[in-house]
Amino acid sequence: MRRFILIFLFIIFLMAQQVSAEKLVVDSKYMDFNKETVVVNVTLTDLKNGLSGYNITITVENSPLADIISVDFPEWATLNDHSDLPSKSVWIKAVDLNEKVQGNLSEILLAKITLKTKRIGVSQLTVTSYEIDDDEGFQIDPIIQNGTILVGVNGNGRIDIGDVSYVAYMVVNKIPQNLKADFNGNYKVDIGDLAKIAYYLIGKIDKL
């Protein structure tokens, strides 16, 4: 019985540790394909001992979908830098020189990343590497919550038969062509593009 209680308490302890762990969050966003840009927040939650600085790399996994074109840092990040843009991947760095990010914090904004969309489709925004330190110089090892960018045409937050129909209308010239539906890269929306989005819809291919 005593052994069972100890095991039970140990499990509860592990669960509490998991619940209270810091989390590095990249926002997910839906975007209408007629809009050019979307802004994604990168945040850190459940800090226990402030933040001294970070170096994080974020990548657009489906690179034809969008480019990262700019990064904006919050006021606390007085010393900051990022890699050359536009690009499918960016590293971002910041240091809290004035010690504004201290103590227990439920959430802190690390950066705002602006993406320019290039075509209809879906892509993960993935944290591919990170170094994050608290105010005592200890490394923070957060749970990673990657983001998703979805660029669609009918405003319902997914790629579905409505998107396929929209591309079909472009192919038969019922509506003006938009090269964000040019999936095969030949600078026009044709039957090949319609086939590709149809194959994506039924699961024959995993990205546009």
Side-chain angles (χ1 to χ4, degrees), residues 43-54:
T43 56
L44 190 62
T45 68
D46 300 313
L47 278 77
K48 305 299 180 295
N49 192 29
L51 176 69
S52 63
Y54 67 81

Side-chain angles (χ1 to χ4, degrees), residues 96-113:
D96 181 22
L97 284 181
N98 296 324
E99 298 184 344
K100 292 185 176 181
V101 185
Q102 294 185 306
N104 294 329
L105 295 168
S106 60
E107 181 176 291
I108 183 71
L109 176 67
L110 302 182
K112 290 179 177 287
I113 294 176

Side-chain angles (χ1 to χ4, degrees), residues 35-47:
K35 295 183 179 179
E36 289 294 319
T37 61
V38 61
V39 178
V40 173
N41 290 342
V42 182
T43 56
L44 190 62
T45 68
D46 300 313
L47 278 77

Side-chain angles (χ1 to χ4, degrees), residues 15 126 142 206:
M15 292 175 64
T126 303
D206 60 6

Side-chain angles (χ1 to χ4, degrees), residues 9 61 155 186 198:
L9 291 174
E61 294 295 339
N186 64 355

Side-chain angles (χ1 to χ4, degrees), residues 84-143:
D84 292 339
L85 295 173
S87 177
K88 72 169 187 176
S89 184
V90 64
W91 55 256
I92 54 177
K93 299 179 180 179
V95 177
D96 181 22
L97 284 181
N98 296 324
E99 298 184 344
K100 292 185 176 181
V101 185
Q102 294 185 306
N104 294 329
L105 295 168
S106 60
E107 181 176 291
I108 183 71
L109 176 67
L110 302 182
K112 290 179 177 287
I113 294 176
T114 301
L115 298 100
K116 183 176 181 179
T117 60
K118 298 186 289 184
R119 64 171 55 173
I120 297 165
V122 182
S123 178
Q124 282 249 300
L125 293 178
T126 303
V127 176
T128 50
S129 67
Y130 64 87
E131 293 180 9
I132 308 171
D133 294 325
D134 68 16
D135 276 337
E136 293 185 0
F138 293 107
Q139 184 166 328
I140 296 172
D141 188 19
I143 297 168

